Structure formats: structure tokens, C-alpha cells
Amino acid sequence: GEDVEQSLFLSVREGDSSVINCTYTDSSSTYLYWYKQEPGAGLQLLTYIFSNMDMKQDQRLTVLLNKKDKHLSLRIADTQTGDSAIYFCAEILAGNMLTFGGGTRLMVKP
Amino acid sequence: DTAVSQTPKYLVTQMGNDKSIKCEQNLGHDTMYWYKQDSKKFLKIMFSYNNKELIINETVPNRFSPKSPDKAHLNLHINSLELGDSAVYFCASSRRDRGPFFGQGTRLTVV
């Protein structure tokens, strides 16, 4: 994950908002993604944003994209204990291949 | 119905053995992938394959080879397994320009 960067850990209290940040490298990426990985499980596609958008909202999830700074964020409103997981941002590079960040481990405290 | 399924879920084997991991997708996607997730949870692309093109990450040893009998399957063959190959391997599939859907992963342990 050396090309796409994320902070390693985030701890929040249940009911608070969580904001997970990511910086990516390729300004020509057409789509940017957020994946969720629960312990021992595969990667679940949470949401994605097209590069000509600034914001996308999907229920409790809000994705913000700042193309100038190559910065992507995922906001989870009213965070629940079931949101505890590792969250990966990813960008699409040549060959339709995803490059992932190192993942942010979100811990939600009751 | 599982969209991307891979088998086995767990694989424990000795150094030097040859093994395969199978992957099937029922989404009608054109492109399939193999990713490796190491113990620090870093995900790295290994291969991207559609019926026209195989793209290989140059860091992948040639002991690893993908085999695609048809569009719905992309199996991963590994020869002469080494301790450092222990990881979780994820298969995925996608359509053009959209993020892949992933299988549940195969945890490979080489002893």
C-alpha cells in the first residue's frame, strides 16, 4: 500500500461520526473505492465515487473527493459497533487493477 | 448465490509442494484477478486477466501462474511452495472501470 496512503487506526465512540482519510497517487484514476474487511472475512465493496464528483452520499456513508489534493475521505455517521473493521481505499490504475491503501482499522467503543 | 467463490477456504501444506486455488464468478464479468494479503493486511495485485490479456505484477515469482479454463474461472497454481507464500489470497472479478467484487479469501499456510 505504499502508493495509496491511509492512517492505521481510528477509534471512536458508538454514535459518533468516523472520518477515514486517504491520499492517492494517480490523478487519472476514473473511480475511487472504499472497501470494508471484517475479521476473517473477504473484502466488501462499500461505495465508490467517480472522479468528476466531489461528494457522494449513501445512507450513513459520505464520500468526499478533493482531486486537487488527491484526497479521499469516508465519513460514517452514527457509527455502530458493527462498523468495526478495516477500511481500505483503492484507486484504479492501468489494466483495470486496484491499488489499495494499507487499510485503516476502525474500532468502535460502546 | 455467492458472486465470487473460491476454494478451499483454508489450505495447509508443506514446503516444496504444488497447490491450486480455484475461483469462480457468476457475475458475467470479463476480468478476474488474484490479490495477496500479507500478515500486515497489505493487499497487492498479483494478476489481472480477461480473455484478451494477462497482466502480471512483475514482483510475483514465476512459481505462481493463473489458469483460466473459461471466462467464469481463474485458478491460481503455485509450484514449489515456500514459507513466505503464507498469506490470504483473494480472487476478484469486475466489469470495465468498476471496482472488483471479492471472494472470501483462501488462507494458505506453508509449514
Coordinates of all heavy atoms in Angstrom, one line a residue, chain B residues 20-95:
Chain B
S20 N -3.1 -25.7 -5.9 CA -4.0 -24.8 -6.7 C -5.1 -24.3 -5.8 O -5.6 -25.0 -4.9 CB -4.6 -25.6 -7.8 OG -3.6 -26.0 -8.7
I21 N -5.5 -23.1 -6.1 CA -6.7 -22.5 -5.5 C -7.7 -22.1 -6.7 O -7.3 -21.6 -7.7 CB -6.4 -21.2 -4.8 CG1 -5.3 -21.4 -3.7 CG2 -7.6 -20.6 -4.1 CD1 -4.8 -20.1 -3.1
K22 N -8.9 -22.5 -6.5 CA -9.9 -22.3 -7.5 C -10.8 -21.1 -7.3 O -11.0 -20.8 -6.1 CB -10.8 -23.6 -7.7 CG -10.0 -24.8 -8.1 CD -11.0 -26.0 -8.3 CE -10.2 -27.2 -8.8 NZ -11.1 -28.3 -9.0
C23 N -11.2 -20.5 -8.4 CA -12.1 -19.3 -8.3 C -13.1 -19.3 -9.4 O -12.7 -19.6 -10.5 CB -11.2 -18.0 -8.3 SG -12.3 -16.5 -8.2
E24 N -14.3 -19.0 -9.0 CA -15.4 -19.0 -10.0 C -16.2 -17.7 -9.7 O -16.5 -17.4 -8.5 CB -16.3 -20.2 -9.8 CG -17.5 -20.2 -10.8 CD -18.3 -21.5 -10.6 OE1 -18.0 -22.3 -9.7 OE2 -19.3 -21.6 -11.3
Q25 N -16.7 -17.1 -10.8 CA -17.6 -15.9 -10.6 C -18.8 -16.1 -11.5 O -18.7 -16.6 -12.6 CB -16.9 -14.6 -10.9 CG -16.2 -14.5 -12.2 CD -17.0 -13.8 -13.3 OE1 -18.2 -13.3 -13.0 NE2 -16.5 -13.7 -14.5
N26 N -20.0 -15.8 -10.9 CA -21.2 -16.0 -11.7 C -21.9 -14.6 -12.0 O -23.1 -14.5 -12.2 CB -22.2 -16.9 -10.9 CG -22.6 -16.3 -9.6 OD1 -22.2 -15.1 -9.3 ND2 -23.4 -17.0 -8.8
L27 N -21.0 -13.6 -12.1 CA -21.5 -12.2 -12.4 C -21.4 -11.9 -13.8 O -21.8 -10.8 -14.2 CB -20.7 -11.2 -11.6 CG -20.7 -11.4 -10.0 CD1 -19.7 -10.7 -9.3 CD2 -22.1 -11.0 -9.5
G28 N -20.9 -12.7 -14.7 CA -20.7 -12.4 -16.1 C -19.6 -11.4 -16.3 O -19.6 -10.7 -17.4
H29 N -18.7 -11.2 -15.4 CA -17.7 -10.2 -15.6 C -16.6 -10.7 -16.5 O -16.4 -11.9 -16.7 CB -17.0 -9.9 -14.2 CG -17.9 -9.1 -13.3 ND1 -17.6 -8.9 -12.0 CD2 -19.0 -8.3 -13.5 CE1 -18.5 -8.1 -11.4 NE2 -19.4 -7.8 -12.3
D30 N -16.0 -9.7 -17.2 CA -14.9 -10.1 -18.1 C -13.6 -10.2 -17.6 O -12.7 -10.9 -18.1 CB -14.9 -9.0 -19.2 CG -16.1 -9.0 -20.1 OD1 -16.6 -10.1 -20.3 OD2 -16.5 -7.9 -20.6
T31 N -13.3 -9.6 -16.4 CA -12.0 -9.5 -15.9 C -11.9 -10.2 -14.5 O -12.8 -9.9 -13.7 CB -11.4 -8.1 -15.8 OG1 -11.6 -7.5 -17.1 CG2 -10.0 -8.1 -15.4
M32 N -10.9 -11.0 -14.3 CA -10.7 -11.6 -13.0 C -9.3 -11.3 -12.5 O -8.4 -11.0 -13.3 CB -11.0 -13.1 -13.0 CG -12.4 -13.4 -13.4 SD -12.8 -15.2 -13.4 CE -12.8 -15.6 -11.7
Y33 N -9.2 -11.4 -11.2 CA -7.9 -11.0 -10.5 C -7.5 -12.0 -9.4 O -8.4 -12.6 -8.8 CB -8.1 -9.6 -9.8 CG -8.7 -8.6 -10.7 CD1 -10.1 -8.5 -10.8 CD2 -7.9 -7.6 -11.3 CE1 -10.7 -7.5 -11.6 CE2 -8.5 -6.6 -12.1 CZ -9.9 -6.6 -12.2 OH -10.5 -5.6 -13.0
W34 N -6.3 -11.9 -9.1 CA -5.8 -12.5 -7.8 C -5.0 -11.5 -7.1 O -4.2 -10.8 -7.6 CB -4.9 -13.8 -8.1 CG -5.7 -15.0 -8.3 CD1 -5.9 -15.6 -9.5 CD2 -6.4 -15.8 -7.4 NE1 -6.7 -16.7 -9.4 CE2 -7.0 -16.8 -8.0 CE3 -6.5 -15.7 -6.0 CZ2 -7.8 -17.8 -7.4 CZ3 -7.3 -16.7 -5.3 CH2 -7.9 -17.7 -6.0
Y35 N -5.4 -11.4 -5.8 CA -4.7 -10.5 -4.9 C -4.1 -11.3 -3.7 O -4.7 -12.3 -3.3 CB -5.7 -9.4 -4.3 CG -6.0 -8.3 -5.2 CD1 -7.0 -8.5 -6.2 CD2 -5.4 -7.1 -5.1 CE1 -7.4 -7.5 -7.0 CE2 -5.7 -6.0 -6.0 CZ -6.7 -6.2 -6.9 OH -7.0 -5.2 -7.7
K36 N -3.0 -10.8 -3.2 CA -2.4 -11.4 -2.0 C -2.5 -10.4 -0.8 O -2.1 -9.2 -1.0 CB -0.9 -11.8 -2.3 CG -0.2 -12.4 -1.1 CD 1.3 -12.7 -1.5 CE 2.0 -13.3 -0.3 NZ 3.4 -13.6 -0.7
Q37 N -2.9 -10.9 0.3 CA -2.9 -10.0 1.5 C -2.0 -10.6 2.5 O -2.2 -11.8 3.0 CB -4.3 -10.0 2.1 CG -4.4 -9.0 3.3 CD -5.8 -8.8 3.8 OE1 -6.6 -9.8 3.9 NE2 -6.2 -7.6 4.1
D38 N -1.0 -9.9 2.9 CA 0.0 -10.4 3.8 C -0.4 -10.2 5.3 O -1.5 -9.8 5.6 CB 1.4 -9.7 3.6 CG 1.4 -8.2 3.8 OD1 0.5 -7.7 4.6 OD2 2.2 -7.5 3.3
S39 N 0.5 -10.6 6.2 CA 0.1 -10.6 7.6 C -0.1 -9.2 8.1 O -0.8 -9.1 9.2 CB 1.2 -11.3 8.4 OG 2.4 -10.6 8.2
K40 N 0.4 -8.2 7.5 CA 0.1 -6.8 7.9 C -1.1 -6.2 7.2 O -1.4 -5.0 7.3 CB 1.3 -5.9 7.6 CG 2.5 -6.3 8.4 CD 3.7 -5.4 8.1 CE 4.9 -5.8 8.9 NZ 6.1 -5.0 8.6
K41 N -1.9 -7.1 6.5 CA -3.1 -6.7 5.8 C -2.9 -5.9 4.6 O -3.9 -5.4 4.0 CB -4.1 -6.0 6.8 CG -4.4 -6.7 8.0 CD -5.2 -8.0 7.7 CE -5.7 -8.7 9.0 NZ -6.4 -9.9 8.6
F42 N -1.7 -5.8 4.1 CA -1.5 -5.1 2.8 C -2.0 -6.0 1.7 O -1.7 -7.2 1.6 CB 0.0 -4.8 2.6 CG 0.5 -3.7 3.5 CD1 1.6 -3.9 4.3 CD2 -0.2 -2.5 3.6 CE1 2.1 -2.9 5.1 CE2 0.3 -1.5 4.5 CZ 1.4 -1.7 5.2
L43 N -2.7 -5.3 0.8 CA -3.2 -6.0 -0.4 C -2.4 -5.7 -1.6 O -2.2 -4.5 -2.0 CB -4.7 -5.6 -0.7 CG -5.7 -6.3 0.2 CD1 -6.9 -5.4 0.5 CD2 -6.1 -7.6 -0.4
K44 N -2.0 -6.7 -2.4 CA -1.2 -6.5 -3.6 C -1.8 -7.2 -4.7 O -2.1 -8.4 -4.6 CB 0.3 -6.9 -3.4 CG 1.1 -6.2 -2.4 CD 1.4 -4.8 -3.0 CE 2.4 -4.1 -2.0 NZ 2.8 -2.8 -2.5
I45 N -1.9 -6.6 -5.9 CA -2.4 -7.3 -7.1 C -1.3 -8.2 -7.5 O -0.1 -7.9 -7.5 CB -2.7 -6.3 -8.2 CG1 -3.3 -6.9 -9.4 CG2 -1.5 -5.4 -8.5 CD1 -4.7 -7.4 -9.3
M46 N -1.8 -9.4 -7.9 CA -0.9 -10.4 -8.5 C -1.1 -10.5 -10.0 O -0.1 -10.5 -10.8 CB -1.1 -11.8 -7.8 CG -0.8 -11.8 -6.4 SD -1.2 -13.4 -5.7 CE 0.2 -14.4 -6.3
F47 N -2.3 -10.7 -10.4 CA -2.6 -10.9 -11.8 C -4.0 -10.2 -12.1 O -4.9 -10.2 -11.3 CB -2.8 -12.4 -12.2 CG -1.6 -13.2 -11.8 CD1 -1.6 -14.0 -10.7 CD2 -0.5 -13.2 -12.7 CE1 -0.5 -14.8 -10.4 CE2 0.6 -14.0 -12.4 CZ 0.6 -14.8 -11.2
S48 N -4.1 -9.8 -13.3 CA -5.3 -9.3 -13.9 C -5.5 -10.1 -15.2 O -4.6 -10.1 -16.0 CB -5.3 -7.8 -14.1 OG -6.4 -7.4 -15.0
Y49 N -6.7 -10.6 -15.4 CA -6.8 -11.5 -16.6 C -8.2 -11.3 -17.2 O -9.2 -11.4 -16.5 CB -6.6 -12.9 -16.3 CG -6.7 -13.9 -17.5 CD1 -5.7 -14.0 -18.4 CD2 -7.9 -14.6 -17.7 CE1 -5.7 -14.8 -19.5 CE2 -8.0 -15.4 -18.8 CZ -6.9 -15.5 -19.7 OH -7.0 -16.3 -20.8
N50 N -8.3 -11.0 -18.5 CA -9.5 -11.2 -19.3 C -9.2 -12.1 -20.5 O -8.1 -12.5 -20.6 CB -10.2 -9.9 -19.6 CG -9.4 -9.0 -20.5 OD1 -8.6 -9.5 -21.3 ND2 -9.6 -7.8 -20.4
N51 N -10.2 -12.3 -21.3 CA -10.0 -13.2 -22.4 C -9.0 -12.7 -23.5 O -8.7 -13.4 -24.4 CB -11.3 -13.7 -23.0 CG -12.1 -12.5 -23.6 OD1 -11.6 -11.4 -23.5 ND2 -13.2 -12.8 -24.1
K52 N -8.6 -11.5 -23.3 CA -7.6 -10.9 -24.2 C -6.2 -10.7 -23.7 O -5.3 -10.7 -24.4 CB -8.2 -9.6 -24.7 CG -9.5 -9.7 -25.4 CD -10.0 -8.3 -25.8 CE -11.4 -8.3 -26.4 NZ -11.9 -7.0 -26.7
E53 N -6.2 -10.5 -22.4 CA -4.9 -10.0 -21.9 C -4.6 -10.5 -20.4 O -5.5 -10.5 -19.6 CB -5.0 -8.5 -21.9 CG -3.6 -7.8 -21.6 CD -3.8 -6.3 -21.6 OE1 -5.0 -5.8 -21.6 OE2 -2.8 -5.6 -21.7
L54 N -3.4 -11.0 -20.2 CA -2.9 -11.3 -18.9 C -1.9 -10.2 -18.5 O -1.0 -10.0 -19.1 CB -2.3 -12.7 -18.8 CG -1.6 -13.0 -17.5 CD1 -2.6 -13.2 -16.4 CD2 -0.8 -14.3 -17.7
I55 N -2.2 -9.6 -17.3 CA -1.3 -8.6 -16.8 C -0.7 -9.1 -15.5 O -1.5 -9.5 -14.6 CB -2.0 -7.2 -16.6 CG1 -2.5 -6.7 -17.9 CG2 -1.0 -6.2 -15.9 CD1 -3.3 -5.4 -17.7
I56 N 0.6 -9.2 -15.4 CA 1.3 -9.8 -14.3 C 2.0 -8.7 -13.5 O 2.7 -7.9 -14.1 CB 2.3 -10.9 -14.8 CG1 1.5 -11.9 -15.6 CG2 3.0 -11.5 -13.6 CD1 2.5 -12.9 -16.3
N57 N 1.8 -8.7 -12.2 CA 2.7 -7.8 -11.4 C 4.1 -8.4 -11.4 O 4.3 -9.6 -11.1 CB 2.1 -7.8 -10.0 CG 2.9 -6.9 -9.1 OD1 4.0 -6.7 -9.2 ND2 2.2 -6.3 -8.1
E58 N 5.0 -7.6 -11.8 CA 6.4 -8.1 -12.0 C 7.0 -8.6 -10.8 O 8.0 -9.3 -10.8 CB 7.3 -7.0 -12.7 CG 7.5 -5.8 -11.9 CD 6.4 -4.8 -12.0 OE1 5.4 -5.0 -12.6 OE2 6.6 -3.7 -11.4
T59 N 6.5 -8.3 -9.6 CA 7.1 -8.7 -8.4 C 6.6 -10.2 -8.0 O 7.2 -10.7 -7.1 CB 6.7 -7.8 -7.2 OG1 5.3 -7.9 -6.9 CG2 7.1 -6.4 -7.5
V60 N 5.7 -10.7 -8.8 CA 5.2 -12.0 -8.4 C 6.1 -13.1 -9.0 O 6.5 -13.1 -10.2 CB 3.8 -12.2 -9.0 CG1 3.3 -13.7 -8.8 CG2 2.8 -11.3 -8.4
P61 N 6.6 -14.0 -8.2 CA 7.5 -15.1 -8.6 C 6.8 -15.9 -9.7 O 5.6 -16.1 -9.7 CB 7.8 -15.9 -7.4 CG 7.4 -15.0 -6.2 CD 6.3 -14.1 -6.7
N62 N 7.6 -16.5 -10.6 CA 7.0 -17.2 -11.7 C 6.6 -18.6 -11.2 O 6.1 -19.4 -12.0 CB 8.0 -17.3 -12.9 CG 9.3 -17.9 -12.5 OD1 9.5 -18.5 -11.5 ND2 10.3 -17.8 -13.4
R63 N 6.7 -18.9 -9.9 CA 6.1 -20.1 -9.4 C 4.6 -20.0 -9.3 O 3.9 -21.0 -9.2 CB 6.7 -20.4 -8.0 CG 8.2 -20.6 -7.9 CD 8.6 -20.8 -6.5 NE 8.5 -19.7 -5.6 CZ 7.5 -19.5 -4.7 NH1 6.6 -20.5 -4.5 NH2 7.4 -18.4 -4.0
F64 N 4.1 -18.8 -9.4 CA 2.7 -18.5 -9.4 C 2.2 -18.4 -10.8 O 2.8 -17.6 -11.6 CB 2.4 -17.2 -8.7 CG 2.6 -17.3 -7.2 CD1 3.9 -17.2 -6.7 CD2 1.5 -17.5 -6.3 CE1 4.1 -17.3 -5.3 CE2 1.8 -17.5 -4.9 CZ 3.1 -17.4 -4.4
S65 N 1.1 -19.1 -11.2 CA 0.6 -18.9 -12.5 C -0.9 -19.0 -12.5 O -1.5 -19.9 -11.8 CB 1.2 -20.0 -13.5 OG 0.9 -21.3 -13.0
P66 N -1.6 -18.1 -13.2 CA -3.1 -18.2 -13.3 C -3.4 -19.1 -14.5 O -2.8 -19.1 -15.5 CB -3.5 -16.8 -13.6 CG -2.3 -16.2 -14.3 CD -1.1 -16.9 -13.9
K67 N -4.6 -19.8 -14.3 CA -5.1 -20.6 -15.4 C -6.6 -20.4 -15.5 O -7.3 -20.5 -14.5 CB -4.8 -22.1 -15.1 CG -3.4 -22.5 -15.0 CD -2.7 -22.7 -16.3 CE -1.4 -23.5 -16.3 NZ -0.5 -23.0 -15.3
S68 N -7.0 -20.0 -16.7 CA -8.4 -19.7 -16.9 C -9.0 -20.6 -17.9 O -8.9 -20.4 -19.1 CB -8.5 -18.3 -17.4 OG -9.9 -17.9 -17.6
P69 N -9.8 -21.7 -17.5 CA -10.4 -22.6 -18.4 C -11.5 -21.9 -19.2 O -11.9 -22.3 -20.3 CB -10.9 -23.7 -17.5 CG -11.0 -23.1 -16.2 CD -10.0 -22.1 -16.1
D70 N -12.2 -20.9 -18.6 CA -13.2 -20.2 -19.3 C -13.4 -18.8 -18.6 O -12.7 -18.6 -17.5 CB -14.5 -21.0 -19.3 CG -15.0 -21.4 -17.9 OD1 -15.1 -20.5 -17.0 OD2 -15.2 -22.6 -17.7
K71 N -14.3 -18.0 -19.1 CA -14.5 -16.6 -18.5 C -14.9 -16.6 -17.1 O -14.6 -15.6 -16.4 CB -15.5 -15.9 -19.4 CG -15.0 -15.2 -20.6 CD -16.1 -14.5 -21.3 CE -16.7 -13.4 -20.5 NZ -17.6 -12.5 -21.3
A72 N -15.5 -17.6 -16.6 CA -16.0 -17.6 -15.2 C -15.0 -18.2 -14.2 O -15.3 -18.1 -13.0 CB -17.3 -18.5 -15.2
H73 N -13.9 -18.6 -14.7 CA -13.0 -19.3 -13.7 C -11.5 -18.7 -13.9 O -11.1 -18.5 -15.1 CB -12.9 -20.8 -14.0 CG -14.2 -21.5 -13.7 ND1 -15.2 -21.6 -14.6 CD2 -14.6 -22.1 -12.5 CE1 -16.2 -22.2 -14.0 NE2 -15.9 -22.6 -12.8
L74 N -10.9 -18.5 -12.8 CA -9.5 -18.2 -12.8 C -8.8 -18.8 -11.6 O -9.0 -18.4 -10.5 CB -9.2 -16.7 -12.8 CG -7.7 -16.3 -12.9 CD1 -7.2 -16.6 -14.3 CD2 -7.5 -14.8 -12.6
N75 N -8.1 -19.9 -11.9 CA -7.4 -20.7 -10.9 C -6.0 -20.2 -10.7 O -5.4 -19.7 -11.6 CB -7.5 -22.2 -11.2 CG -8.9 -22.6 -11.4 OD1 -9.9 -22.2 -10.7 ND2 -9.1 -23.6 -12.3
L76 N -5.5 -20.4 -9.5 CA -4.2 -20.0 -9.2 C -3.3 -21.2 -8.8 O -3.7 -21.9 -7.9 CB -4.2 -19.0 -8.0 CG -2.8 -18.4 -7.5 CD1 -2.2 -17.6 -8.6 CD2 -2.9 -17.6 -6.2
H77 N -2.3 -21.4 -9.6 CA -1.4 -22.5 -9.3 C -0.1 -22.0 -8.7 O 0.4 -21.0 -9.2 CB -1.1 -23.3 -10.7 CG -2.3 -23.9 -11.3 ND1 -2.7 -25.2 -11.0 CD2 -3.2 -23.4 -12.1 CE1 -3.8 -25.5 -11.6 NE2 -4.1 -24.4 -12.4
I78 N 0.4 -22.7 -7.7 CA 1.6 -22.3 -7.1 C 2.5 -23.6 -7.0 O 2.1 -24.6 -6.5 CB 1.4 -21.8 -5.7 CG1 0.1 -20.9 -5.6 CG2 2.6 -21.1 -5.1 CD1 -0.3 -20.6 -4.2
N79 N 3.7 -23.4 -7.6 CA 4.7 -24.5 -7.6 C 5.7 -24.3 -6.5 O 6.0 -23.1 -6.1 CB 5.4 -24.6 -8.9 CG 4.4 -25.0 -10.0 OD1 3.5 -25.8 -9.8 ND2 4.6 -24.5 -11.2
S80 N 6.2 -25.4 -6.0 CA 7.4 -25.3 -5.0 C 7.1 -24.3 -3.9 O 7.9 -23.3 -3.7 CB 8.7 -24.9 -5.8 OG 8.9 -25.9 -6.8
L81 N 6.1 -24.5 -3.2 CA 5.7 -23.5 -2.2 C 6.8 -23.3 -1.2 O 7.5 -24.1 -0.8 CB 4.4 -24.1 -1.4 CG 3.1 -23.8 -2.2 CD1 2.0 -24.8 -1.8 CD2 2.7 -22.4 -1.9
E82 N 6.8 -22.0 -0.8 CA 7.8 -21.5 0.2 C 7.1 -20.9 1.4 O 5.9 -20.6 1.3 CB 8.7 -20.4 -0.4 CG 9.5 -20.9 -1.6 CD 10.3 -19.8 -2.3 OE1 10.2 -18.7 -1.8 OE2 11.0 -20.1 -3.3
L83 N 7.8 -20.9 2.5 CA 7.2 -20.3 3.8 C 6.6 -18.9 3.6 O 5.6 -18.6 4.1 CB 8.2 -20.3 4.9 CG 8.8 -21.6 5.4 CD1 9.8 -21.4 6.5 CD2 7.6 -22.5 6.0
G84 N 7.3 -18.1 2.8 CA 6.9 -16.7 2.5 C 5.6 -16.6 1.7 O 5.1 -15.5 1.5
D85 N 5.2 -17.7 1.2 CA 3.9 -17.7 0.4 C 2.7 -17.7 1.3 O 1.6 -17.5 0.8 CB 3.9 -18.9 -0.6 CG 5.0 -18.9 -1.6 OD1 5.5 -17.8 -1.9 OD2 5.4 -20.0 -2.0
S86 N 2.9 -18.0 2.6 CA 1.8 -18.0 3.5 C 1.1 -16.6 3.5 O 1.8 -15.6 3.8 CB 2.3 -18.3 4.9 OG 2.8 -19.7 5.0
A87 N -0.2 -16.6 3.3 CA -0.9 -15.3 3.2 C -2.4 -15.7 2.9 O -2.7 -16.9 2.8 CB -0.4 -14.5 2.0
V88 N -3.2 -14.7 2.8 CA -4.5 -14.9 2.4 C -4.6 -14.4 0.9 O -4.2 -13.3 0.6 CB -5.6 -14.1 3.2 CG1 -7.0 -14.3 2.7 CG2 -5.5 -14.5 4.7
Y89 N -5.1 -15.3 0.0 CA -5.2 -15.0 -1.4 C -6.7 -14.7 -1.7 O -7.6 -15.5 -1.4 CB -4.7 -16.1 -2.2 CG -3.2 -16.3 -2.0 CD1 -2.6 -17.0 -0.9 CD2 -2.3 -15.7 -2.9 CE1 -1.3 -17.1 -0.7 CE2 -0.9 -15.7 -2.7 CZ -0.4 -16.5 -1.6 OH 0.9 -16.5 -1.4
F90 N -6.9 -13.6 -2.4 CA -8.3 -13.2 -2.8 C -8.4 -13.2 -4.3 O -7.6 -12.6 -5.0 CB -8.6 -11.8 -2.3 CG -8.8 -11.7 -0.8 CD1 -7.8 -11.2 0.0 CD2 -10.1 -12.1 -0.2 CE1 -8.1 -11.2 1.4 CE2 -10.3 -12.0 1.1 CZ -9.3 -11.5 2.0
C91 N -9.5 -13.9 -4.7 CA -9.9 -13.8 -6.1 C -10.9 -12.7 -6.2 O -11.7 -12.4 -5.2 CB -10.5 -15.1 -6.5 SG -11.2 -15.1 -8.2
A92 N -11.0 -12.0 -7.4 CA -12.0 -11.0 -7.6 C -12.4 -10.9 -9.0 O -11.6 -11.4 -9.9 CB -11.4 -9.6 -7.1
S93 N -13.5 -10.3 -9.3 CA -13.9 -10.1 -10.7 C -14.5 -8.7 -10.9 O -15.1 -8.2 -9.9 CB -14.8 -11.2 -11.2 OG -16.1 -11.0 -10.6
S94 N -14.5 -8.2 -12.1 CA -15.1 -6.9 -12.3 C -15.5 -6.7 -13.7 O -15.1 -7.5 -14.6 CB -14.1 -5.8 -11.9 OG -13.1 -5.7 -12.9
R95 N -16.3 -5.7 -14.0 CA -16.5 -5.2 -15.3 C -15.7 -4.0 -15.5 O -15.2 -3.4 -14.6 CB -18.0 -5.1 -15.6 CG -18.7 -4.1 -14.7 CD -20.2 -4.1 -15.0 NE -20.9 -3.2 -14.1 CZ -21.6 -2.1 -14.5 NH1 -21.7 -1.8 -15.8 NH2 -22.2 -1.4 -13.6

